[in-house]
């Protein structure tokens, strides 16, 4: 009885089960988990002294304080010794992040995502695969490495590194971490000097937050505790209840409920007022976060700006602060650069213009009532009774980062934070919520800033080899339909050429001959050789010539940090990868070593030496190599006051042994050496003495670009005419939800998750739904000039009339088919979250979906 | 054994699982091999729409809700397929769920479960659907709880602990 096969019991780990510390593979929060592994047939008993949890299961666990060990926290795996093992992956009770063993629906099912040939994860890639005609054949690693190395070398020698292109992840957690980001960086940057390298979720090698970094303020400057200490929390384009779930539930919620007073007493001045935090959510939608915050009973403001207008809203709020003199002159003078402030004052605050004028225009552009702009600014910056500064934590995420003129949007919020001194003090901070976790250790990128747009480069016929590593641009690239079409054409052109005889299909047999034929083909057909390296056979892999199987989280050690505290921990290895799959760093090392040998054989020692030193045997070898490469000359023996000048993710001195010893406590980066004792110490807040990452330590200001009604995004602006608005009557935005993580690479294979989100969907307002005759579950064909797709309609008051919001990546159709090709010229980052579309009703719903999938509103908590 | 045969004859789900005798057996026995307890939990005529009735199943340490929904439920019991029963304990961290507006909601971190879709967790922090209790209704309208589907939070087995 159920849409999927359920369990009515789970076995307990025996006392002698192997146990490991790890961290959730998914989101920015980085909840701690414990892993227990034991051989089949050796389960523990219910008595506390008979199981590895040390807990009494003869009666039920107590709510909240007990251990959650649920159906999806257990699975059975097989190791390379041929035996079956049980795996239990439960929330760590001793983590400073997921307090009390909190966890989300994503992390709670970490165990079900482990690989097994007896479960749905059997579809993990097991072997290197070579395209032969229209099928994929398994080949040994040595041959896959030979082919990849020879094609790379052929392109490099004949055309130079600009004809090599790649998309790679830059994050931590599952599919990332220091070991793997360094492995890719060492090969692609040091070895191959590839400037046509883009990042997993964007077209170029950009920062998503240059708008704040260029001010000298790194985006991860706060610590999770600040969410428990703040008077006011601002969530800007961040649906934290669904995308930073435990950060919201375990840190913000208690503060909204007034349950953190005791903790506040330790940090507040003796007479400083304290109470439950207030929350300001800035989001066009009534997200689950808005209503979850309201349900706590807290004071909540919700501002709903029109799409792509957030920087004007932030600047208007800053103007209110300026007008009402809610800033601190001493802070501005001592810790910010008053020379560049003049530019900010003129362009962003528009101080020469009347206050009335500016606010009236802001209301017109953003659609946010002037009174709300003023009240929100007041909540952020007003003095508390007794003249104490407000403690405001301002967090933003993809609603800001994937906005129109995203550089200015990030800058405007960072500057609002600096103007209101919302940084460095306990309970404050102005930065990113985070999407993925972090774990970045890479040699410098060899290209310019802003970087070239790799997606468009490859689409336009440039690049001979395209290497897609741990990401899925067939779902994630902007203007996706065109991207897929062009890449498909170019890879197919090469595929056709590989048949040696025009009238027959046979392709060369040896790897050396095949590589030669490929190199001939990319020249003659302007085709593209596509290599996909991943844990699953992704949508992008359907056009690949070569597929390289990678190990995932839990199958190799990795070091990463969360976003909300920069808390570095070791994610231990507890199982074998499927088949012949190997960690990404290992794959890069094999190819690097082969290139080194090929260039040595050519007598080109100047090139071969760029690949030297990739003879790593373990993740720890990679970590040591990265440390030597990146931090050999860094002086980290400095006090916390100097932390702002260090690499925010710096880990000098850290080893696996050290991380194993500190376990779930982890250490906050940048890791420093105590000036007195020389011991490794963590860094809570990046700027505790307001010394920023600029040459003089002062926060630098930026004057924004003048408002242009989206004209610089020509691909969107073309719809903003009376005719355009008639033909494409809806604004279209997109983003994530609670249940599926990113491309749902795991969840699509888990019946209980896939049944919840079986189809790509769009949220539609009740007014629009009734005008067009839609009920929840009805299918809609949605199109614009860029692309089209079919989505299930989900009627909800979340979106305003005239706007649709789509789940961003779904395996049955990506919202990116509709996104525009616009990027901010300051950063090469797209505005994924805004374009225009038309909607056509198809013939009702899919009956099986209506029967088994809930369409209840996810933002209505009653 | 008589009891098990009665299931095989009458349970609406039995037809689907009969093809696999091992699965069939699993469906009718608890994880410890004993038969699921059969508990009368109410009568159709006493149930008011959207007014949940509490009971315990499979033992007194496992609170549950019996409820008649406003519309048909996937695998619901009764002439209108709208009678369902679920564990009353949230599968996230064990708080008692409340029935409000035709769905279950947890007061602790707001997980929400759709009783018309097997207890699907369509929002919130819980990973697992709410455990569902299979119901049988006889000619007199008596409603029997006959089996659990899914693990009740806080336990490692739905089978009552043997002491
Ligand atoms: S909140 Fe994020 S890190 Fe924590 S369990 Fe969920 S997905 Fe994992
Ligand atoms: S205990 Fe129910 S949502 Fe957390």
């Amino acid at each position: 009885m159920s849409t999927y096969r359920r369990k009515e019991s789970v076995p307990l780990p025996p006392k002698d089960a192997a146990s490991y510390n790890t961290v959730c593979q998914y989101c920015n929060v980085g909840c701690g988990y414990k892993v227990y592994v034991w051989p089949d047939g050796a389960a523990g008993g219910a008595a506390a002294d008979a199981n590895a949890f040390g807990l009494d299961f003869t009666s039920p666990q107590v709510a909240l304080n007990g251990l959650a060990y649920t159906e999806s926290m257990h699975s059975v795996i097989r190791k390379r010794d041929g035996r079956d093992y049980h795996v239990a992956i439960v929330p760590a009770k001793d983590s400073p992040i997921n307090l009390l063993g909190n966890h989300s629906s994503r992390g709670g099912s970490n165990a079900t995502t482990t690989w097994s040939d007896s479960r749905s994860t059997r579809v993990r890639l097991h072997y290197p695969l070579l395209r032969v005609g229209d099928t994929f054949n398994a080949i040994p690693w040595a041959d896959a490495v030979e082919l990849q190395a020879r094609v790379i070398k052929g392109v490099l020698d004949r055309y130079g590194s600009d004809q090599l292109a790649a998309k790679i992840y830059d994050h931590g957690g599952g599919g990332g971490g220091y070991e793997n980001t360094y492995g890719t960086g060492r090969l692609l940057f040091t070895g191959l000097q590839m400037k046509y390298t883009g990042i997993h979720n964007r077209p170029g090698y950009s920062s998503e937050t240059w708008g704040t970094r260029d001010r000298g303020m790194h985006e991860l400057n706060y610590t999770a505790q600040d969410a428990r200490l703040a008077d006011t929390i601002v969530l800007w384009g961040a649906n934290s209840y669904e995308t930073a779930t435990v950060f919201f539930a375990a840190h913000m919620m208690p503060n909204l409920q007034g349950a953190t007073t005791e903790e506040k007493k330790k940090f507040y001045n003796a007479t400083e007022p304290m109470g439950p935090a207030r929350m300001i959510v800035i989001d066009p939608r009534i997200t689950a976060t808005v209503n979850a915050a309201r349900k706590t009973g807290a004071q909540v403001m919700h501002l709903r700006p029109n799409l792509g207008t957030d920087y004007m809203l932030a600047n208007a709020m800053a103007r209110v602060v300026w007008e009402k003199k809610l800033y601190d002159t001493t802070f501005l003078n001592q810790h910010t650069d008053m020379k560049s402030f003049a530019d900010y004052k003129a362009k962003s605050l528009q101080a020469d213009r009347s206050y009335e004028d500016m606010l009236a225009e802001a209301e017109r552009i953003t659609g946010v009532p002037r009174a709300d702009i003023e009240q929100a600014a007041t909540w952020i910056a007003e003095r508390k009774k007794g003249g104490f500064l407000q403690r405001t934590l301002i967090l933003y995420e993809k609603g800001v980062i994937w906005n129109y003129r995203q550089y200015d949007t990030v800058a405007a919020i960072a500057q609002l934070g600096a103007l209101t001194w919302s940084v460095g003090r306990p309970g404050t901070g102005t930065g990113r919520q985070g999407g993925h976790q972090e774990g970045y250790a890479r040699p410098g990128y060899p290209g310019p800033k802003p970087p070239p747009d790799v997606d468009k480069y490859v689409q336009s016929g440039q690049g001979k080899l395209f290497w897609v590593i741990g990401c899925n641009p067939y779902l994630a690239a902007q203007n996706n339909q065109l991207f897929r079409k062009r890449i498909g054409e170019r890879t197919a052109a090469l595929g056709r050429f590989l048949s040696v005889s025009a009238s027959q299909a046979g392709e060369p047999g040896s790897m050396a001959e095949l590589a030669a034929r490929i190199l001939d083909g990319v020249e003659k057909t302007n085709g593209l050789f596509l290599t996909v390296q991943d844990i699953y056979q992704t949508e992008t892999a359907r056009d690949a010539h070569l597929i390289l199987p990678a190990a995932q989280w839990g199958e190799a050690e990795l070091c990463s940090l969360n976003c909300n505290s920069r808390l570095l921990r070791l994610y231990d290895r507890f199982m074998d990868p499927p088949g012949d799959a190997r960690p990404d760093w290992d794959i890069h090392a094999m190819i690097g070593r082969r290139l080194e040998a090929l260039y040595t054989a050519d007598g080109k020692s100047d090139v071969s030496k760029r690949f030297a030193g990739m003879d790593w045997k373990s993740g720890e070898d990679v970590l040591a190599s990265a440390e030597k490469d990146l931090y050999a000359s860094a002086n980290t023996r400095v006090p916390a006051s100097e932390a702002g000048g260090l690499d925010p993710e710096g880990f000098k001195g850290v080893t696996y042994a050290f991380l194993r010893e500190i376990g779930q406590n982890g250490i906050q980066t940048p890791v420093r050496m105590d000036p007195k004792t020389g011991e490794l110490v963590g860094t809570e807040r990046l700027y505790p003495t307001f010394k920023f990452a600029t040459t003089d330590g002062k926060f630098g200001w930026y004057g924004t670009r003048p408002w242009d009604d989206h004209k610089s995004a020509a691909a969107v602006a073309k719809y903003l005419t009376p005719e355009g608005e008639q033909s494409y009557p809806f604004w279209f935005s997109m983003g994530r939800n609670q249940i599926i993580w990113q491309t749902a690479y795991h969840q699509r294979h888990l019946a209980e998750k896939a049944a919840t989100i079986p189809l790509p969907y769009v949220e539609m307002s009740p007014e629009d739904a009734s005008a067009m005759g839609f009920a929840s579950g009805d299918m809609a064909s949605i199109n614009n000039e860029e692309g089209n797709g079919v989505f299930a309609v989900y009627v909800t008051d979340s979106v305003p009339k005239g706007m649709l919001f789509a789940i961003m990546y779904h395996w049955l159709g990506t919202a990116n088919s509709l996104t525009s090709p616009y990027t901010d010229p300051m950063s090469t980052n797209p505005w994924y979250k805004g374009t225009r579309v038309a909607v056509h009703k198809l013939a009702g719903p899919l009956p099986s979906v209506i029967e088994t999938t809930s369409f209840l509103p996810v933002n209505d908590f009653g | 054994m008589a009891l098990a045969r009665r299931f095989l004859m009458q349970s609406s789900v039995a037809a689907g699982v009969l093809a696999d005798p091992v699965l069939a057996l699993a469906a009718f026995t608890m994880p410890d091999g004993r038969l699921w307890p059969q508990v009368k939990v109410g009568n159709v005529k006493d149930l008011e729409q959207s007014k949940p009735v509490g009971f315990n199943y499979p033992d007194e340490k496992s609170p549950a809700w019996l409820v008649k929904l406003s519309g048909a439920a996937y695998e619901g019991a009764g002439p209108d397929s709208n009678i369902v029963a679920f564990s009353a304990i949230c599968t996230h961290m064990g708080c008692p769920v409340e029935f409000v507006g035709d769905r279950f909601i947890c007061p602790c971190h707001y997980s929400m479960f759709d009783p018309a879709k097997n207890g699907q967790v369509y929002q919130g922090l819980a990973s697992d659907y709410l455990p569902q209790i299979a119901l049988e209704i006889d000619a007199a309208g008596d409603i029997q709880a006959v089996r659990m589907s899914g693990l009740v939070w806080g336990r490692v087995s739905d089978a009552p602990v043997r002491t």
Side-chain angles (χ1 to χ4, degrees):
Chain A
M1 167 173 212
S2 186
T3 38
Y4 66 105
R5 175 108 191 101
R6 300 199 60 171
K7 301 173 189 165
E8 284 73 40
S9 66
V10 285
L12 281 162
K15 273 186 81 138
D16 60 352
S19 75
Y20 308 87
N21 272 309
T22 192
V23 176
C24 181
Q25 62 188 310
Y26 298 119
C27 89
N28 57 86
V29 183
C31 298
Y33 280 81
K34 298 265 185 206
V35 183
Y36 300 88
V37 181
W38 68 98
D40 190 27
D49 60 1
N51 64 69
F53 297 145
L55 293 173
D56 178 11
F57 275 91
T58 60
S59 58
Q61 294 290 295
V62 178
L64 298 180
N65 287 304
L67 178 75
Y69 178 38
T70 71
E71 289 169 63
S72 37
M73 295 183 184
H74 166 264
S75 64
V76 177
I77 57 166
R78 177 162 294 183
K79 291 205 198 178
R80 283 185 176 154
D81 65 9
R83 295 181 63 188
D84 283 342
Y85 290 81
H86 294 259
V87 179
I89 307 181
V90 298
K93 286 277 188 184
D94 54 347
S95 167
I97 302 300
N98 43 325
L99 306 168
L100 288 177
N102 213 322
H103 57 281
S104 76
S105 72
R106 301 178 298 281
S109 42
N110 274 324
T112 60
T113 68
T114 55
W115 158 70
S116 163
D117 280 332
S118 306
R119 286 183 283 111
S120 55
T121 51
R122 72 178 69 84
V123 296
R124 282 281 305 281
L125 289 166
H126 287 50
Y127 320 111
L129 297 175
L130 174 69
R131 174 183 292 280
V132 175
D134 60 351
T135 59
F136 288 106
N137 289 180
I139 56 171
W141 268 113
D143 294 289
V145 168
E146 187 68 20
L147 182 66
Q148 181 74 356
R150 281 184 181 269
V151 176
I152 288 174
K153 181 169 183 297
V155 172
L156 194 58
D157 291 349
R158 184 155 180 181
Y159 310 98
S161 62
D162 282 1
Q163 289 303 314
L164 296 170
K167 296 273 277 192
I168 60 179
Y169 50 78
D170 73 341
H171 56 73
Y178 289 147
E179 294 81 351
N180 292 315
T181 55
Y182 186 73
T184 49
R186 182 69 175 270
L187 180 61
L188 270 55
F189 293 173
T190 312
L192 298 168
Q193 303 178 342
M194 287 169 59
K195 78 165 176 275
Y196 288 96
T197 298
I199 295 180
H200 60 276
N201 65 352
R202 50 197 191 268
Y205 210 81
S206 57
S207 164
E208 294 180 310
T209 50
W210 273 327
T212 187
R213 288 188 186 181
D214 289 352
R215 316 275 79 74
M217 187 161 84
H218 189 269
E219 65 276 15
L220 302 179
N221 50 56
Y222 60 101
T223 188
Q225 189 182 40
D226 291 323
R228 309 197 299 272
L229 299 179
D231 293 306
T232 302
I233 301 173
V234 182
L235 297 178
W236 202 319
N239 181 12
S240 309
Y241 182 74
E242 300 197 74
T243 66
T245 311
V246 169
F247 189 34
F248 185 88
H251 299 270
M252 297 181 204
M253 256 177 80
N255 191 0
L256 296 173
Q257 291 162 328
T260 60
T261 319
E262 284 310 306
E263 205 172 352
K264 286 183 178 177
K265 280 184 190 154
K266 291 189 207 127
F267 293 86
Y268 280 42
N269 293 301
T271 55
E272 185 179 347
M274 64 180 76
R278 309 180 284 199
M279 183 168 269
I280 303 171
V281 183
I282 303 176
D283 198 307
R285 295 191 300 147
I286 305 172
T287 55
T289 302
V290 174
N291 284 341
R294 291 212 158 109
K295 195 172 163 79
T296 64
Q299 281 181 273
V300 177
M301 277 195 76
H302 180 203
L303 275 50
R304 307 181 74 179
N306 294 326
L307 292 182
T309 65
D310 293 64
Y311 81 86
M312 296 308 287
L313 179 61
N315 286 334
M317 283 160 68
R319 178 68 190 266
V320 176
V321 172
W322 183 250
E323 201 69 21
K324 301 193 173 187
K325 301 198 167 33
L326 300 177
Y327 51 87
D328 184 286
T329 314
T330 317
F331 173 78
L332 290 185
N333 283 327
Q334 284 185 2
H335 301 293
T336 80
D337 171 38
M338 293 313 282
K339 268 219 275 330
S340 51
F341 188 80
D343 199 36
Y344 174 67
K345 193 171 148 187
K347 294 178 182 153
S348 301
L349 299 179
Q350 299 184 37
D352 298 337
R353 198 170 165 196
S354 88
Y355 177 70
E356 300 299 321
D357 241 33
M358 180 172 177
L359 273 268
E361 193 194 27
E363 178 171 317
R364 179 185 67 74
I365 292 168
T366 66
V368 178
R370 171 184 164 160
D372 284 0
I373 299 175
E374 289 180 312
Q375 192 185 336
T378 308
W379 276 24
I380 289 171
E382 72 187 338
R383 294 293 179 281
K384 297 195 276 184
K385 233 185 166 157
F388 292 101
L389 285 167
Q390 191 74 214
R391 296 176 191 264
T392 300
L393 177 64
I394 304 174
L395 301 176
Y396 53 87
E397 196 40 49
K398 289 295 187 293
V400 164
I401 289 166
W402 288 354
N403 209 305
Y404 177 58
R405 284 183 169 162
Q406 70 89 229
Y407 183 95
D408 289 37
T409 314
V410 171
I413 297 172
Q415 295 179 130
L416 178 63
L419 188 65
T420 58
W421 199 353
S422 301
V423 62
R425 297 180 294 121
T428 72
T430 300
R432 269 187 78 174
Q433 169 202 281
H436 281 88
Q437 294 157 26
E438 301 296 327
Y440 187 90
R442 249 183 211 149
Y445 164 64
K449 174 188 172 188
D453 183 324
V454 175
D455 296 350
K456 292 191 184 71
Y457 184 72
V458 178
Q459 247 166 256
S460 72
Q462 293 293 319
K464 304 291 183 197
L465 175 141
F466 191 27
W467 193 352
V468 172
I469 302 167
C471 57
N472 191 357
Y474 271 26
L475 297 187
Q478 65 179 150
N479 198 12
N480 204 280
Q481 200 151 323
L482 185 68
F483 179 80
R484 298 195 306 271
K485 192 170 169 178
R486 292 285 174 257
I487 305 297
E489 287 162 0
R490 294 192 63 204
T491 52
L494 174 63
R496 279 194 299 277
F497 181 86
L498 294 183
S499 300
V500 181
S501 145
S503 62
Q504 289 299 327
E507 297 170 2
S510 81
M511 290 304 139
E513 283 170 315
L514 181 59
R517 183 84 190 157
I518 287 165
L519 290 165
D520 200 18
V522 293
E523 170 68 23
K524 293 201 173 121
T525 67
N526 196 29
L528 183 68
F529 181 76
L530 176 64
T531 302
V532 168
Q533 179 171 323
D534 213 310
I535 61 172
Y536 287 108
Q537 201 157 343
T538 61
E539 281 73 18
T540 311
R542 73 170 172 251
D543 285 333
H545 299 98
L546 183 63
I547 301 177
L548 305 176
Q552 74 149 341
W553 173 89
E555 297 165 356
E557 295 93 348
L558 65 92
C559 295
S560 292
L561 38 137
N562 76 343
C563 294
N564 321 123
S565 320
R566 286 165 279 101
L567 188 68
L568 169 62
R569 286 152 296 175
L570 175 69
Y571 301 39
D572 225 332
R573 174 189 205 278
F574 56 84
M575 64 179 288
D576 294 322
D580 292 327
R582 303 174 81 136
D584 284 315
W585 59 259
D586 199 11
I587 299 171
H588 292 111
M590 288 191 291
I591 295 167
R593 290 197 297 267
R594 188 64 196 132
L595 283 163
E596 185 183 5
L598 288 171
Y599 277 106
T600 305
D602 266 10
K604 291 187 177 162
S605 63
D606 54 326
V607 186
S608 73
K609 72 168 190 274
R610 301 204 306 246
F611 304 100
M614 296 181 77
D615 45 1
W616 309 309
K617 301 274 177 309
S618 68
E620 183 141 39
D621 287 351
V622 188
L623 194 72
S625 206
E627 185 192 22
K628 204 165 121 221
D629 190 357
L630 306 177
Y631 303 122
S633 62
N635 176 23
T636 57
R637 194 162 184 160
V638 295
S641 56
E642 302 297 314
L646 301 175
D647 174 357
E649 299 189 32
F651 58 91
K652 189 173 185 175
V654 167
T655 60
Y656 281 7
F658 171 77
L659 291 175
R660 286 211 168 89
E661 200 180 301
I662 58 175
Q664 289 293 343
N665 288 329
I667 186 164
Q668 289 181 272
T669 66
V671 175
R672 292 175 290 112
M673 283 165 81
D674 186 284
K676 286 201 200 86
T677 65
E679 275 172 33
L680 294 183
V681 287
T683 305
E684 277 191 299
R685 296 178 186 84
L686 279 190
Y687 312 111
T689 57
F690 323 112
K691 189 167 175 192
F692 295 97
T694 50
T695 40
D696 61 2
K698 291 184 173 181
F699 180 95
W701 301 91
Y702 164 77
T704 201
R705 286 168 277 180
W707 182 247
D708 73 345
D709 291 319
H710 298 129
K711 283 206 182 59
S712 77
V716 178
K718 73 183 176 208
Y719 297 123
L720 303 178
T721 62
E723 310 80 64
E725 287 179 4
Q726 204 171 11
S727 308
Y728 299 97
F730 287 91
W731 276 104
F732 182 84
S733 189
M734 48 92 109
R736 282 163 48 191
N737 79 1
Q738 181 81 266
I739 291 156
I740 60 181
W741 169 249
Q742 308 297 37
T743 58
Y745 52 88
H746 278 322
Q747 285 88 12
R748 64 173 79 174
H749 302 299
L750 306 175
E752 62 276 29
K753 305 294 180 190
T756 317
I757 315 285
L759 299 170
Y761 66 83
V762 288
E763 296 181 347
M764 181 186 278
S765 74
E767 297 93 317
D768 289 327
S770 82
M772 297 189 71
F774 277 108
S776 277
D778 285 347
M779 302 297 283
S781 172
I782 297 181
N783 72 306
N784 62 14
E785 286 178 16
E786 281 69 38
N788 51 295
V790 176
F791 298 79
V793 165
Y794 190 109
V795 181
T796 166
D797 69 357
S798 162
V799 281
K801 184 170 173 300
M803 184 193 292
L804 303 174
F805 174 89
I807 183 76
M808 67 183 195
Y809 312 144
H810 194 282
W811 57 100
L812 291 179
T814 173
N816 273 317
S817 289
L818 296 138
T819 52
S820 83
Y822 162 84
T823 59
D824 185 344
M826 297 280 286
S827 62
T828 323
N829 288 325
W831 177 21
Y832 290 103
K833 296 222 182 215
T835 188
R836 303 282 298 191
V837 297
V839 177
H840 311 269
K841 189 165 184 279
L842 298 186
L846 300 179
S848 63
V849 168
I850 285 290
E851 206 174 4
T852 53
T853 296
S854 182
F855 281 90
L856 294 176
V858 300
N859 67 346
D860 176 6
F861 299 101
Chain B
M1 215 43 230
L3 205 52
R5 207 170 64 228
R6 189 173 69 78
F7 286 141
L8 296 178
M9 312 271 297
Q10 294 184 2
S11 169
S12 61
V13 292
V17 293
L18 265 181
D20 182 340
V22 179
L23 271 186
L25 191 66
F28 301 115
T29 60
M30 296 189 290
D32 65 357
R34 289 180 293 169
L35 292 170
W36 289 105
Q38 310 297 296
V39 180
K40 184 185 163 192
V41 295
N43 187 286
V44 171
K45 67 177 186 316
D46 302 327
L47 275 185
E48 277 181 64
Q49 187 192 303
S50 303
K51 292 262 168 64
V53 177
F55 67 102
N56 295 321
Y57 189 86
D59 59 34
E60 71 290 347
K61 286 181 176 159
S62 175
W65 289 118
L66 172 72
V67 63
K68 182 161 117 184
L69 303 173
S70 62
Y74 184 66
E75 298 184 316
D80 299 321
S81 303
N82 62 349
I83 301 174
V84 291
F86 288 92
S87 165
I89 303 180
C90 178
T91 56
H92 177 230
M93 293 174 79
C95 293
V97 296
E98 295 157 2
F99 184 83
V100 193
D102 260 14
R103 75 335 196 179
F104 291 103
I105 175 162
C106 177
C108 286
H109 315 97
Y110 315 149
S111 285
M112 299 195 286
F113 306 86
D114 189 342
K117 311 289 179 202
N118 287 141
Q120 190 167 85
V121 46
Y122 64 93
Q123 174 62 294
L125 286 75
S127 288
D128 298 277
Y129 294 14
L130 212 51
Q132 187 162 9
I133 297 159
L135 302 174
E136 284 184 1
I137 301 177
D138 66 17
D142 279 347
I143 305 167
Q144 295 257 0
V146 297
R147 154 172 88 72
M148 290 299 303
S149 170
L151 179 63
V152 174
W153 189 91
R155 309 165 65 122
V156 287
S157 172
D158 285 335
V161 175
R162 290 194 227 209
T163 44

